[in-house]
Amino acid sequence: MGTVSKALSLLTNFNQSRTEIGLSEIARLAGVNKATAYRLLTELQAGGFVEQAGPDKTWRLGPEILRLARLREAAVPMTTASRAILDRLAAETHETAHVSVLRGTELNALAHAYSTRHATRVMMEDAERLSLHGTGSGLAVLAFSPDEFVESVLALPLKKHTPDTVTEPAALRALLGPIRETGIAESVGGFEADVHSHAAPVFDTNGLPIGALAVAAPVARVTPDRATVIKEAVLTGAMELTRAIGGFVPDTFPQAAAA
């Protein structure tokens, strides 16, 4: 990994629950020594990507991140386009709806909506990092990605998030076939115990998966009837979001699902 990549990788340690990080902590999270972490942070600070705050001199994201986020939103308005779809999806399914975007070999949770029907719900966090192998969203993306990308992901060390996480490459390949036939991926306890997720891919202007739209629910609430409702709603929403961002559905996607 080059110096620029190492520096930028430090930014992935910030999230909504960890908006400010001390030097020692960020060094630990990044797996580098404090001197290296400080050098990389100083380089990021020069570009406006991070800044120091408060008497403890902790680090937080800088104004350049906001500027780039606005440019990204103007170019690919996925967050804006997904808001109404997520709200409708949560209302139709009575569960948590969320959208994620592909970033390297992970997905980043982009936005979510909660249903008011149940007090107990699957909680999400914007900017949460989701694995491709352990989530319904990730499997939906892998099923319609180029073979070389799939193999590059399966060649990585695959984290076992729960006892039910599938990490064997052969077993994961076997899961992708049915997803290609239906357009829907499922994960039961693969990323978080007792969570059943259904997801469908969202495609970009080249017909490649840019992310996924999903519904996550407690396992006990996903009866066969509810699963049917969720699958139909997720497919409809994913195709709508694809069109909203100017993407198109590839010929490899099930035509009945894309209609």
Side-chain angles (χ1 to χ4, degrees), residues 5-25:
S5 296
K6 288 179 180 178
L8 293 176
S9 70
L10 297 185
L11 302 179
T12 65
N13 294 297
F14 294 93
N15 56 41
Q16 285 189 325
S17 61
R18 195 164 58 210
T19 57
E20 295 186 8
I21 311 177
L23 178 61
S24 296
E25 177 69 359

Side-chain angles (χ1 to χ4, degrees), residues 64-258:
E64 184 65 10
I65 295 293
L66 180 60
R67 187 185 75 83
L68 292 176
R70 286 173 175 166
L71 289 174
R72 168 68 177 172
E73 179 65 14
V76 186
M78 195 164 174
T79 304
T80 299
S82 69
R83 289 298 182 189
I85 296 172
L86 289 170
D87 288 341
R88 188 186 71 231
L89 195 56
E92 288 179 359
T93 64
H94 312 315
E95 301 295 351
T96 299
H98 64 95
V99 65
S100 53
V101 64
L102 186 63
R103 179 186 177 278
T105 56
E106 292 182 320
L107 289 170
N108 277 8
L110 197 61
H112 62 270
Y114 294 130
S115 167
T116 58
R117 176 65 64 92
H118 304 290
T120 302
R121 64 186 70 159
V122 176
M123 303 301 293
M124 292 292 302
E125 180 178 305
D126 289 346
E128 184 176 0
R129 295 158 71 180
L130 308 174
S131 69
L132 290 176
H133 70 284
T135 62
S137 295
L139 293 173
V141 168
L142 286 177
F144 296 94
S145 292
D147 291 342
E148 56 269 25
F149 177 75
V150 175
E151 292 307 314
S152 70
V153 171
L154 298 187
L156 297 171
L158 302 178
K159 181 178 179 179
K160 202 163 184 66
H161 304 289
T162 76
D164 294 321
T165 307
V166 179
T167 58
E168 298 78 12
L172 288 165
R173 290 189 194 97
L175 292 176
L176 301 183
I179 299 170
R180 296 183 181 116
E181 294 176 1
T182 64
I184 282 283
E186 294 186 56
S187 175
V188 182
F191 189 72
E192 186 177 350
D194 298 321
V195 172
H196 189 157
S197 65
H198 292 82
V202 176
F203 297 99
D204 65 12
T205 55
N206 296 312
L208 294 173
I210 192 176
L213 186 70
V215 165
V219 169
R221 283 208 296 264
V222 185
T223 63
D225 287 345
R226 294 308 304 163
T228 298
V229 171
I230 291 171
K231 289 175 184 178
E232 292 177 356
V234 167
L235 273 174
T236 300
M239 297 304 97
E240 183 180 344
L241 183 53
T242 293
R243 291 189 292 270
I245 64 173
F248 76 92
V249 181
D251 293 339
T252 53
F253 198 77
Q255 293 306 301

